[in-house]
Amino acid sequence: MALDKNSKIYVAGHHGLVGSAIWNNLLKRGYTNLVGRSHKELDLTDQVAVKKFFDEERPDAVVLAAAFVGGIMANSLYRADFIMMNMKIQCNVISEAYAHGVKKLLFLGSTCIYPKNAPQPMKEDCLLTSPLEYTNEEYAIAKIAGLKMCESYNLQYGTNYIAVMPTNLYGPNDNFHLENSHVMPAMMRKVYLAKLIHDGAWDKIAIDLNKRPVEGVNGTASQEEILNVLAKYGIYNNKVVLWGTGTPLREFLWSEDMADASVHVLLNVNFSDIIGIEKYSSVHYGASTDGAVDRNHSAGRGGAIPKLGEIRNCHINVGTGKELTIRELSELVVKAVGFEGTVEFDASKPDGTMRKLIDVSKLHSLGWTHQVEIEDGVQKLFDWYRESLQ
């Protein structure tokens, strides 16, 4: 199942936060035969288009990092879209990967697959043990279906499809739009803008808003208009107001670390490693003469390895196994930005889930550990953000 440097690897979602980092990681390792398509070039929800793409490109390996994503508000408003779009993407890519004899597939999910009240830190085995968080239930169910597809194809057809579940990610190409970004980039931009208002650096504020307008307000607006729209997001002269109490705990992983973990798994980890047996040959099949997997080879159907009992939860958590409070995160952001004003917490606003830490012992046992600690990562993210405004 080894991939050599000439193997053709299709990275679905190669413009995204994780997909772009995986693409760059593969290039650095000398894997240059990479294939990517933007959403405009290939709509992964279109079954006919996906089949045509696989017919033409015939990749040796696939990284499925494409998804239909959004924050709490989007997840609540577009519930049908979140489950349907993600299921279509996954079904189309995984089924065509199988039909075209792809050697290795890496599926990227999210730790939102775990129950709302899962015991902490969350092990892979807590999947499907109690109800999900309601606000992102549809997205989570789609991702659970994706990892189950990988697991089921492996058990029935002897494929080598691995699913990884990353924790909260941050890094280059992050989303800093205040209306729909995640907690760290939103907090960082708020603190930065509050500092600029205090400094009277309206030229820099204009550059920032021209790059990423807020509710349609860009750098050409009057100072009054700008101050009014920023105040709606808790951004004032030398003061920032954040939602909640600041006490929830969160785990964060640098996106380039996530990419490195993903590529490590893609290149070095097989399904047999995850289920803990050396020989999994009873469900490994050869390809037929036309390059597609022979569907008639069904020795693995429904229990080729009964001595192992029930096989489930074969996905891999990817994170740091470390956490900090939102208040502690704000202190790191303040330090990185060089902000000398005040940060307040509005306890009348919701906190969200109080704790979301994953157990990463399986990942460590497979030979990978994170490199970037949060203290360095926050500074690296702010450095990237400032450069993005040049």
Side-chain angles (χ1 to χ4, degrees):
M1 289 295 171
L3 296 172
D4 60 37
K5 297 287 171 72
N6 297 315
S7 298
K8 182 183 279 191
I9 303 173
Y10 167 46
V11 182
H14 72 298
H15 286 319
L17 176 67
V18 184
S20 61
I22 288 174
W23 182 282
N24 292 332
N25 189 284
L26 284 164
L27 287 177
K28 283 177 187 171
R29 291 177 185 241
Y31 290 81
T32 55
N33 191 6
L34 305 181
V35 182
R37 293 286 187 277
S38 68
H39 177 67
K40 283 182 180 177
E41 293 169 319
L42 175 61
D43 179 359
L44 293 175
T45 66
D46 182 338
Q47 189 175 6
V48 173
V50 174
K51 181 183 185 302
K52 183 171 182 285
F53 167 79
F54 274 87
D55 285 344
E56 292 170 356
E57 292 293 344
R58 296 201 167 268
D60 299 301
V62 171
V63 176
L64 182 42
F68 186 74
V69 296
I72 290 176
M73 182 69 76
N75 273 274
S76 300
L77 290 174
Y78 308 115
R79 298 180 77 90
D81 290 348
F82 270 87
I83 193 163
M84 185 60 78
M85 301 284 274
N86 284 300
M87 289 292 288
K88 281 183 175 178
I89 290 168
Q90 295 162 193
C91 288
N92 290 341
V93 174
I94 293 172
S95 63
E96 290 304 329
Y98 172 67
H100 291 81
V102 165
K103 295 179 197 170
K104 193 82 178 273
L105 182 141
L106 186 75
F107 173 75
L108 277 76
S110 162
T111 51
C112 74
I113 62 168
Y114 292 119
K116 180 177 182 176
N117 297 315
Q120 306 284 322
M122 300 180 289
K123 289 181 176 288
E124 287 86 355
D125 287 343
C126 73
L127 181 67
L128 297 176
T129 54
S130 61
L132 298 163
E133 163 59 47
Y134 182 74
T135 54
N136 64 2
E137 195 173 38
E138 278 67 22
Y139 182 75
I141 287 172
K143 288 298 178 184
I144 291 168
L147 75 86
K148 284 291 180 185
M149 279 182 221
C150 293
E151 204 172 88
S152 302
Y153 268 80
N154 293 342
L155 292 172
Q156 183 169 341
Y157 296 120
T159 49
N160 202 12
Y161 300 167
I162 315 286
V164 290
M165 302 293 132
T167 187
N168 302 300
L169 300 173
Y170 69 106
N173 298 314
D174 218 330
N175 174 13
F176 283 83
H177 288 276
L178 293 179
E179 295 105 309
N180 61 2
S181 61
H182 289 127
V183 60
M184 192 190 301
M187 182 189 294
M188 187 171 283
R189 189 177 180 199
K190 288 176 183 181
V191 170
Y192 176 63
L193 286 169
K195 180 180 187 295
L196 293 184
I197 294 171
H198 178 69
D199 294 346
W202 287 97
D203 54 334
K204 291 183 178 178
I205 292 172
I207 291 169
D208 186 283
L209 292 178
N210 282 333
K211 178 89 174 180
R212 299 175 181 91
V214 179
E215 293 187 11
V217 175
N218 62 23
T220 65
S222 69
Q223 290 186 14
E224 184 182 6
E225 283 178 297
I226 289 172
L227 290 172
N228 285 339
V229 77
L230 293 184
K232 289 173 66 174
Y233 292 90
I235 304 165
Y236 306 95
N237 182 344
N238 226 27
K239 185 177 89 170
V240 172
V241 179
L242 303 174
W243 278 28
T245 62
T247 56
L249 289 155
R250 289 291 181 272
E251 174 184 14
F252 295 96
L253 180 67
W254 183 245
S255 60
E256 292 172 334
D257 269 356
M258 171 59 200
D260 195 63
S262 299
V263 176
H264 173 81
V265 169
L266 180 70
L267 300 179
N268 301 302
V269 177
N270 295 311
F271 186 59
S272 55
D273 301 320
I274 296 169
I275 60 175
I277 56 169
E278 291 180 10
K279 290 187 178 178
Y280 185 50
S281 56
S282 58
V283 285
H284 275 172
Y285 312 124
S288 61
T289 51
D290 65 354
V293 174
D294 185 353
R295 291 175 185 271
N296 297 317
H297 259 104
S298 55
R301 191 184 305 277
I305 32 184
K307 64 180 180 180
L308 291 175
E310 294 182 352
I311 296 173
R312 53 163 63 97
N313 303 329
C314 301
H315 56 287
I316 306 166
N317 287 340
V318 182
T320 63
K322 300 179 180 182
E323 60 190 344
L324 78 169
T325 66
I326 296 297
R327 187 179 292 276
E328 288 168 333
L329 175 65
S330 73
E331 290 165 1
L332 292 177
V333 169
V334 162
K335 182 182 175 186
V337 175
F339 182 60
E340 295 177 353
T342 58
V343 175
E344 297 176 6
F345 285 87
D346 181 355
S348 70
K349 295 289 196 292
D351 267 327
T353 307
M354 291 307 293
R355 195 175 182 214
K356 271 180 66 177
L357 179 67
I358 55 171
D359 184 306
V360 289
S361 51
K362 184 190 283 191
L363 179 66
H364 289 174
S365 73
L366 293 167
W368 189 90
T369 307
H370 74 282
Q371 298 291 314
V372 178
E373 299 295 351
I374 187 72
E375 296 81 4
D376 299 324
V378 169
Q379 185 65 56
K380 282 163 71 88
L381 183 63
F382 183 60
D383 292 343
W384 180 87
Y385 182 65
R386 275 193 306 194
E387 285 174 22
S388 79
L389 297 170
Q390 299 303 317

